[in-house]
Amino acid sequence: MAGFARLAAPGIRGLASYDPGHDIVALRNRAGGQGLLELGGNESAWGPSPRALAALRSELDRLELYPDPRGGLLKQALSGAFGLSAEHFLLGNGTHELLMQLAQVFAGPERPVLVSRYCFAVYPLAAQAANARLEVVEALPPEHPEQPRGHDIEAMIAALRPDHGLVMLANPNNPTGTWLPLSAIERLLQAAGPDTLVVVDEAYGEFLDQPGCGSALSLLSTSPNLLVTRTFSKLHGLAALRVGVLVGHPEAIAVMERVRESFNVNGPGLAAAAAALGDARHIAHVLRETAASREALAIELKARGWFVHPSQTNFLLVDFGTPEAAAAIDRGLLARDIVVRPMRGYGLPQCLRITVGRPGQNARLLAALDAVVGEAGLRAGAGA
């Protein structure tokens, strides 16, 4: 039998699967003596908390057992961290699962999804899978003095309609690294109708450290239409365990529970994530080192003439001027066993997204970048 796609639901027929960028496993297997330097996935260069590792190991003797389907231990830790009852939390196999389920539940043919240009790639996937129309608001221009290619919150507010099922945005944003103050998110929430849910994806929220900024979680008590996602893959260094959380009004969470897959978060992940939340020393260390290393790397890249978007994340979006230059640099770095993230799928083919590494890793990247630029005869200073 052929033509299985025609049997799929309407939203699935034209859906492209998520593009991870490069075949990381194949690149690891072929890497030389230095090993593969992975700067494309925004994983933590500082790894997980020692407490998280200890909790993970304690679960290895119980792998024959199903995990707690309610995630009680992790929800208890989340309650302590955020000052909310357990009914405010829905756990997911990473936030990717939660974002897809949000569209499944709250979007559809009559309830479109509103996003900004250069939004996280999963939002369009989630909308299309739910057979919901995706409406894209243009971002701020690349020459904007403070937030180049960032969310234009006033344009998003102007585009709002009562029939919108979801508004989805990340703060700080992936892939641009740009951010919004709390006042902007509050204006968006106030402008949205009561039947429009605003999803603020805070995968990089812990890194946000700017005046007037903070977590949208502080707006939950006055905004029942607000939903916030968090992940343990970035700051906490547990990307391999796939643990995400959705925070919102208990009634919204209860509806979402209806589509949650049974045992969707594994036992080691639940234990490690709960322990990670309690390791304030490790959290402070990762935040401090990431910020310092990010700023140092940005200075070096700017000194070479490239346009570096301002960032409040653990990555930098770098504009190399032309798609040809970005592609040549990507190829040259791969040849030297360094992986960064091409941005063609985001409509930014002239850009590469680079995860912030430790100082030694950044030095290796910069030396390779200099070599690639020299060999290819590329001209710096043309970005953005």
Side-chain angles (χ1 to χ4, degrees), residues 107-124:
E110 306 302 322
R111 290 177 59 78
V113 177
L114 186 69
V115 300
S116 174
R117 185 75 65 189
Y118 315 127
C119 67
F120 180 39
V122 171
Y123 309 159

Side-chain angles (χ1 to χ4, degrees), residues 58-327:
S58 72
E59 291 293 308
L60 298 183
D61 292 331
R62 293 190 284 271
L63 295 184
E64 75 280 9
L65 302 176
Y66 283 112
D68 176 5
R70 295 181 176 85
L73 179 66
L74 178 52
K75 287 184 179 178
Q76 182 180 1
L78 289 164
S79 293
F82 300 137
L84 297 167
S85 67
E87 291 74 25
H88 287 83
F89 304 110
L90 180 76
L91 304 180
N93 183 33
T95 53
H96 189 144
E97 179 188 47
L98 294 167
L99 294 167
M100 297 295 287
Q101 289 175 340
L102 279 165
Q104 178 187 354
V105 174
F106 295 115
E110 306 302 322
R111 290 177 59 78
V113 177
L114 186 69
V115 300
S116 174
R117 185 75 65 189
Y118 315 127
C119 67
F120 180 39
V122 171
Y123 309 159
L125 293 180
Q128 187 165 350
N131 200 26
R133 186 171 70 256
L134 184 75
E135 298 185 1
V136 181
V137 176
E138 288 303 322
L140 294 170
E143 63 273 12
H144 191 276
E146 297 173 353
Q147 300 291 309
R149 297 188 171 108
H151 295 318
D152 186 339
I153 203 70
E154 303 307 326
M156 294 187 77
I157 289 171
L160 276 171
R161 296 192 314 273
D163 67 324
H164 281 120
L166 293 172
V167 180
M168 306 181 88
L169 59 90
N171 192 38
N173 186 50
N174 175 20
T176 59
T178 51
W179 61 93
L180 292 168
L182 268 179
S183 59
I185 295 173
E186 193 167 19
R187 290 200 306 278
L188 180 66
L189 285 163
Q190 292 169 350
D195 295 336
T196 299
L197 301 183
V198 177
V199 180
V200 180
D201 178 356
E202 294 187 346
Y204 303 91
E206 295 97 338
F207 297 103
L208 184 53
D209 181 22
Q210 287 289 310
C213 295
S215 173
L217 290 170
S218 64
L219 305 175
L220 272 176
S221 61
T222 57
S223 304
N225 61 334
L226 169 65
L227 292 161
V228 179
T229 60
R230 286 289 186 96
T231 183
F232 287 85
S233 297
K234 307 303 179 186
L235 169 67
H236 297 291
L238 298 174
L241 296 179
R242 310 303 300 125
V243 185
V245 59
L246 175 69
V247 193
H249 191 284
E251 289 185 21
I253 297 300
V255 175
M256 290 288 294
E257 279 281 1
R258 301 175 189 179
V259 299
R260 182 180 63 83
E261 297 178 6
S262 56
F263 310 108
N264 62 329
V265 182
N266 65 83
L270 290 170
L277 273 178
D279 196 339
R281 180 177 180 181
H282 182 75
I283 290 171
H285 172 74
V286 173
L287 290 174
R288 181 176 62 252
E289 294 299 318
T290 301
S293 195
R294 180 186 67 221
E295 297 314 308
L297 179 59
I299 289 170
E300 291 290 343
L301 290 167
K302 290 175 184 177
R304 287 160 170 79
W306 311 118
F307 178 76
V308 181
H309 294 70
S311 175
Q312 282 283 288
T313 64
N314 67 344
F315 63 82
L316 295 170
L317 182 68
V318 185
D319 190 326
F320 290 97
T322 66
E324 294 75 17

Side-chain angles (χ1 to χ4, degrees), residues 22-29 31 34-45 334 337-341 353-358 361 364-365:
H22 293 294
D23 186 344
I24 294 297
V25 174
L27 292 172
R28 287 173 186 163
N29 291 337
Q34 280 189 287
L36 188 68
L37 178 55
E38 300 179 30
L39 301 177
N42 300 341
E43 298 101 336
S44 171
L334 281 174
D337 296 331
I338 299 175
V339 179
V340 295
R341 187 67 153 85
R353 194 189 67 196
I354 303 174
T355 306
V356 173
R358 292 173 180 250
Q361 294 172 322
R364 178 180 166 187
L365 165 73

